[in-house]
Amino acid sequence: MKPLMVLILSIALLESGAQAAEPSQALDPAPTAKDWAALAALPDWSGVWVPDINDHQKQITSNPPPWLPAAAAKAAALDAEERGGRPRGLFVNCLPEGMPSLMLITHNSIEFLFVPGRIVMLGESDGGRERRIYTDGRSHPSDPDPSFHGHSIGHWEGDTLVVDTVGILPQAYIAVSEAVGLANNGDLHVIERLRVSAPNTLTDELTIIAPKVFSAPWKTTRVFFRDRARQHEIVEGSCLQGKFAEGVDAHGDAAFIPLKFDDQGAPIPPDSGGSPP
């Protein structure tokens, strides 16, 4: 074989080997008119869903998390501090609540947006951070990058959305309130069954598998009521905004002025000149 032909053949073999070694780059196909039309057949989850606080409290009393002994002692200490008027406050540093706390604690109104291949869930108290649930038939990545909300895939069983979530950061809390909860410490797996159980009632049946802090899977439910009033639509939230006052800077431009706080944690307003005291 001529040297030039050998060189060309070698390059071709190298290129084909390199292409075979590269991981496939799957693309999300553009939704078709049929895909958009298919959304009309799904259950109506429109509106804002507000947690049922009374039902949540009953759940915590009658069906507490199955903490391992060491974790139970820590949770009991946090509960005692909260009951004594000294709540620790788990969500005070602007990090996302994450899973499963996003669905567990009482104050978080949520909204669902259906698009072909996924469901996007918005949570008001989490600064509008979104949770994505993929419904296009994909599986979990073999080695997911850990995140606060993890990687969620879902499928419909009749009118019930079954969601499987893995890849949650070990630091993400399993919280029963804003003051009582522990980091999951890894290997967390959350399975949910969500359905409209009454005309304006959404039920989320959760199975939380947390082998580093639980002695057994925890099965619990959370109930949400639908509110369609425009005055109760989810609004923009920013967890740090309360640490600033709206004012102007030394150049006369609109600016957020950092506040100082007294010993009791109350903000001290900036002076009339717009500078911090």
Side-chain angles (χ1 to χ4, degrees):
M1 187 179 294
K2 294 182 180 180
L4 180 59
M5 292 297 293
V6 172
L7 178 61
I8 293 173
L9 180 59
S10 299
I11 292 174
L13 289 172
L14 286 171
E15 288 181 345
S16 64
Q19 291 172 355
E22 291 177 357
S24 61
Q25 300 296 321
L27 299 177
D28 292 325
T32 64
K34 183 179 179 180
D35 294 329
W36 286 106
L39 297 178
L42 297 178
D44 175 19
W45 288 13
S46 60
V48 173
W49 297 92
V50 182
D52 182 342
I53 297 176
N54 291 329
D55 182 77
H56 171 220
Q57 295 302 326
K58 290 178 183 177
Q59 284 283 324
I60 297 306
T61 302
S62 63
N63 180 28
W67 300 112
L68 287 168
K74 296 175 184 176
L78 291 172
D79 183 64
E81 288 295 291
E82 183 178 30
R83 292 176 183 275
R86 301 175 299 275
R88 171 184 170 183
L90 304 177
F91 307 104
V92 295
N93 50 12
C94 272
L95 295 173
E97 291 164 356
M99 281 292 293
S101 297
L102 180 68
M103 305 304 296
L104 286 177
I105 57 179
T106 59
H107 67 287
N108 194 44
S109 297
I110 55 178
E111 182 178 13
F112 296 92
L113 305 178
F114 288 10
V115 296
R118 71 193 62 188
I119 294 171
V120 180
M121 197 181 79
L122 304 178
E124 182 175 62
S125 70
D126 217 15
R129 293 185 177 99
E130 71 278 359
R131 176 191 178 198
R132 293 182 180 89
I133 301 170
Y134 295 101
T135 57
D136 56 3
R138 72 181 66 186
S139 58
H140 290 304
S142 58
D143 185 21
D145 292 329
S147 62
F148 282 94
H149 290 143
H151 187 271
S152 295
I153 54 176
H155 67 274
W156 290 94
E157 295 181 359
D159 62 356
T160 299
L161 178 65
V162 182
V163 184
D164 190 278
T165 302
V166 298
I168 302 170
L169 282 166
Q171 294 82 3
Y173 287 111
I174 301 174
V176 296
S177 73
E178 291 191 26
V180 180
L182 300 176
N184 72 82
N185 286 343
D187 297 332
L188 180 63
H189 184 189
V190 181
I191 303 166
E192 297 168 272
R193 297 181 64 87
L194 298 105
R195 65 187 179 91
V196 176
S197 53
N200 289 302
T201 304
L202 181 77
T203 300
D204 185 6
E205 299 175 353
L206 301 105
T207 300
I208 303 171
I209 302 166
K212 301 296 179 63
V213 292
F214 283 175
S215 60
W218 183 33
K219 294 188 176 184
T220 186
T221 62
R222 292 296 180 271
V223 175
F224 300 81
F225 294 134
R226 177 163 27 208
D227 193 331
R228 293 193 183 278
R230 288 186 175 179
Q231 63 178 340
H232 295 149
E233 288 179 346
I234 287 178
V235 298
E236 181 181 84
S238 175
C239 58
L240 283 178
Q241 195 165 347
K243 296 185 180 297
F244 298 85
E246 298 176 6
V248 296
D249 61 18
H251 304 287
D253 296 319
F256 288 108
I257 311 301
L259 292 173
K260 289 187 176 181
F261 296 82
D262 62 24
D263 293 340
Q264 304 301 316
I268 302 172
D271 62 25
S272 57
S275 59

